[in-house]
Amino acid sequence: MRVLGIESSCDETGVALYDSDRGLLAQALYSQIDLHAAYGGVVPELASRDHVRKLLPLIRRTLAESGLNPADLDGVAYTAGPGLVGALMVGAATGRALAWALGVPAIAVHHMEGHLLAPLMEADPPEPPFVALLVSGGHTQLMWVKALGQYQLLGETLDDAAGEAFDKTAKLMGLPYPGGPQLAAAALKGRSGVFRFSRPMVNRPDLDFSFSGLKTQVLLAWQASTRTQQDMADIALAFEQAVVDTLAIKCERALERTGCRRLVVAGGVGANRYLREQLQERTARRGARVYFPRPDLCTDNGAMIAYAGCLRLQAGQSEPPVVTCAPRWDLAGLPPLSPALG
Ligand code: KG4
Ligand code: ZN
């Protein structure tokens, strides 16, 4: 089955072609970073308009690169939520209309299911059941994945998402949008131990997170410092260590609670090098294993939507000929993809 995937939930237009026999055939991504940088964050109306401009050329390019014609498609998948409603509508309307015109089924994909399933596109993929840590700009969740499509929330952030905390912290030290990768780059020159920030909520037995207080700690440290490049690097490193340590402690706890030895990490913050190193080390120490997608499949992309859509179409699911999207959407409410194990 050959599925075209469309991602347009936020500030990236992503398109990809996934073939259930041959894997990923082609993908294209357009980032709106330059468009939003002047405003220090994503401007929803500008995002929607830019998706309108870029989506059809990207679809044509992806088809050309894979050597396929529109008539070769067996289905179209598009992100239907969560995300910015105007941006989502561009992908949903285009994807649904294309499927209608071609007479093939369309499938509305949950953006976070796309992230969660992305590691399964890699060689030697994890078998469910597994624990999944979803860390993006809008979400920080620990999920128990009993079977594909069966998601049980173990814990989540009570305020800022991990990526949001990275972005806001970077911004208050004057780093440009998007702050996560910039702050991680600054941290490479930081000296360990010069600053130390707390690990929020690790003394509570639950698997929830809270990252909003960390940015206040950073603000106070930054204001009290001489605000040199070295101060920024030292603070960035201490912040990164605090976030990564907190995520890792709760991941280990989730593995303990579920008795599972497989951890899957997905979403933009999953591209963070220090997080990857720490989770590799800590899971290996306890005889468990962590699975990440390659870094460019951690951040938003069309491939994960094509893949998740392909699995759901193969399971016989599809949408009626109506364009809808869901800016807020609960992952745990999705229909199963396969019978639950055990
Ligand atoms: O999954 P994603 O691309 O979009 C959403 O679904 O939100 O995640 C974007 C988030 C942003 O907050 C970005 O700053 C963060 O992921 N991010 C990183 C890194 N790369 C992206 N955070 C820390 N270190 C990175 N290397
Ligand atoms: Zn995302």
Side-chain angles (χ1 to χ4, degrees), residues 9-30:
S9 65
C10 189
D11 57 349
E12 253 127 15
T13 321
V15 176
L17 258 160
Y18 186 83
D19 183 325
S20 53
D21 294 328
R22 292 158 61 205
L24 193 59
L25 299 182
Q27 62 168 327
L29 188 76
Y30 178 81

Side-chain angles (χ1 to χ4, degrees), residues 307-325:
Y307 178 67
C310 184
L311 292 187
R312 290 208 167 265
L313 288 169
Q314 283 180 316
Q317 299 169 18
S318 64
E319 307 304 320
V322 180
V323 178
T324 49
C325 54

Side-chain angles (χ1 to χ4, degrees), residues 133-170:
L133 172 70
L134 301 177
V135 269
S136 70
H139 291 76
T140 297
Q141 296 181 323
L142 272 165
M143 286 281 173
W144 174 235
V145 182
K146 195 171 178 186
L148 293 187
Q150 292 212 341
Y151 309 121
Q152 185 194 332
L153 185 68
L154 299 173
E156 65 181 336
T157 184
L158 304 180
D159 40 58
D160 290 353
E164 186 180 1
F166 265 94
D167 295 340
K168 287 179 175 171
T169 300

Side-chain angles (χ1 to χ4, degrees), residues 135 181 184 240 265-277 292-299:
V135 269
E240 189 177 53
V265 180
V269 183
N272 184 275
R273 220 167 73 182
Y274 184 63
L275 176 71
R276 294 169 87 95
E277 283 167 13
F292 298 95
R294 69 198 87 152
D296 62 329
L297 290 185
C298 283
T299 44

Side-chain angles (χ1 to χ4, degrees), residues 9 111-112 115 136 267-268 298-300 304:
S9 65
H111 180 81
M112 297 312 293
H115 276 303
S136 70
C298 283
T299 44
D300 289 350
M304 67 186 196

Side-chain angles (χ1 to χ4, degrees), residues 194-211:
V194 178
F195 290 89
R196 187 186 152 83
F197 302 121
S198 61
R199 276 61 175 151
M201 311 230 313
V202 292
N203 295 326
R204 285 172 41 157
D206 56 46
L207 297 171
D208 289 332
F209 305 91
S210 166
F211 291 115

